[in-house]
């Protein structure tokens, strides 16, 4: 049972444009969401997070939006840069449990 | 500060053997989590330790076990290896748990023949 879903395995965007990565979840107990970026042969690195008490969190070029009623979150990267090309994982925690559920990832390619 | 280190980086084993992977967290981090990454499955949570106590466990068989030492270093053990255990095993550390930013190591690539 995939509780965190990233339905787009890949995405291609032109440099300078906006990249939008989507994530859906099914477990209503989730109350904290994170995005990680992963380059080949490296471990994931933390990008940005959002608590369920917010609907938006921004950090430089990265903004995460949370729609609790739709159980949907998205990561916006503006403007996209070639160095952003990586696999992006959406992750969720909840219920006070020290356990993180990750999505399957979206591979972003930013074309110069 | 040094990052999360994992040893060994690569490992080849045969079915039925057992394996132990090691993780050294960032200094001062007391929470260590383990994940299995396979193509198409993303990162699957194995377990999380804090101050030598396992606080949560993922949906993996009992062949997968772990422990954490008083210096926060952690080991993961897989007994009676199966072909399906071939994966990248990632360790992550944080100050207090999975509600905080986790810092990942580079992983151990395990191949079971």
């Amino acid at each position: 049972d995939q509780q965190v879903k990233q339905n787009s395995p890949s995405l291609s965007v032109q440099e300078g444009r906006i990249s939008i990565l989507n994530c859906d979840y099914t477990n209503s107990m989730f109350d904290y969401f994170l995005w990680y970026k992963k380059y080949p042969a490296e471990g994931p690195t933390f990008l940005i997070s959002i608590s369920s008490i917010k609907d938006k969190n921004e950090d430089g070029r990265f903004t995460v939006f949370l729609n609790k009623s739709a159980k949907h979150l998205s990561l916006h990267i503006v403007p996209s840069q070639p160095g952003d090309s990586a696999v992006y994982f959406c992750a969720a925690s909840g219920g006070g449990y020290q356990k993180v559920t990750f999505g399957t990832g979206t591979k972003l390619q930013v074309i110069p | 500060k040094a990052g999360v280190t994992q040893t060994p980086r690569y490992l080849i084993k045969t079915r039925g053997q057992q394996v132990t992977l090691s993780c050294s967290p960032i200094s001062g981090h007391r929470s260590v989590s383990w994940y299995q990454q396979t193509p198409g499955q993303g990162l699957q949570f194995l377990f999380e330790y804090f101050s030598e106590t396992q606080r949560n466990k993922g949906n993996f068989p009992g062949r997968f076990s772990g422990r954490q030492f008083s210096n926060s270093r952690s080991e993961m053990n897989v007994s009676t290896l199966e072909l399906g255990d071939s994966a990248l095993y990632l360790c992550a550390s944080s100050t207090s748990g999975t509600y905080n930013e986790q810092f990942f190591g580079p992983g151990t690539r395990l191949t079971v023949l």
Side-chain angles (χ1 to χ4, degrees):
Chain A
D1 175 29
Q2 194 70 30
Q3 296 186 46
V4 177
K5 300 177 186 178
Q6 293 178 257
N7 293 318
S8 298
S10 63
L11 175 68
S12 288
V13 172
Q14 290 286 335
E15 180 179 4
R17 299 287 191 118
I18 183 172
S19 294
I20 300 176
L21 295 95
N22 294 303
C23 178
D24 297 296
Y25 62 96
T26 58
N27 191 336
S28 56
M29 295 285 284
F30 288 147
D31 57 11
Y32 192 68
F33 305 88
L34 313 96
W35 284 93
Y36 285 85
K37 176 171 74 173
K38 186 180 186 301
Y39 294 117
E42 295 181 12
T45 54
F46 171 77
L47 263 181
I48 192 169
S49 63
I50 187 168
S51 164
S52 60
I53 62 173
K54 293 186 173 183
D55 53 20
K56 176 183 174 181
N57 189 24
E58 192 171 353
D59 183 2
R61 296 186 298 114
F62 302 92
T63 303
V64 57
F65 295 92
L66 175 62
N67 182 331
K68 290 183 287 293
S69 60
K71 293 191 174 67
H72 176 84
L73 63 155
S74 61
L75 174 69
H76 292 209
I77 306 173
V78 185
S80 300
Q81 300 173 352
D84 296 330
S85 297
V87 177
Y88 289 78
F89 290 97
C90 168
S93 286
Y97 295 105
Q98 295 296 337
K99 174 179 177 176
V100 180
T101 301
F102 279 80
T104 52
T106 296
K107 185 174 183 179
L108 173 65
Q109 181 184 22
V110 180
I111 303 164
Chain B
K1 266 187 182 178
V4 177
T5 57
Q6 292 186 245
T7 55
R9 291 292 312 276
Y10 302 91
L11 207 48
I12 299 176
K13 293 284 188 178
T14 56
R15 279 183 300 172
Q17 287 187 308
Q18 76 164 23
V19 67
T20 299
L21 312 181
S22 180
C23 172
S24 292
I26 290 172
S27 177
H29 285 191
R30 296 167 67 186
S31 169
V32 174
S33 298
W34 288 89
Y35 299 86
Q36 180 195 66
Q37 184 184 12
T38 54
Q41 289 294 315
L43 278 73
Q44 303 283 310
F45 173 81
L46 280 155
F47 23 68
E48 189 263 356
Y49 288 89
F50 183 85
S51 292
E52 303 178 67
T53 299
Q54 185 184 93
R55 295 195 292 189
N56 217 321
K57 191 177 191 310
N59 296 325
F60 279 82
R63 300 185 296 106
F64 291 81
S65 63
R67 58 178 175 167
Q68 187 181 33
F69 302 95
S70 58
N71 62 358
S72 294
R73 191 177 69 85
S74 177
E75 286 182 348
M76 190 194 105
N77 185 276
V78 187
S79 63
T80 319
L81 283 166
E82 299 177 0
L83 295 178
D85 297 333
S86 295
L88 180 67
Y89 290 88
L90 291 158
C91 162
S93 75
S94 69
T95 52
S96 60
T98 57
Y99 275 77
N100 300 106
E101 171 187 356
Q102 293 184 84
F103 294 81
F104 283 81
T108 294
R109 171 72 62 184
L110 172 65
T111 302
V112 182
L113 301 176

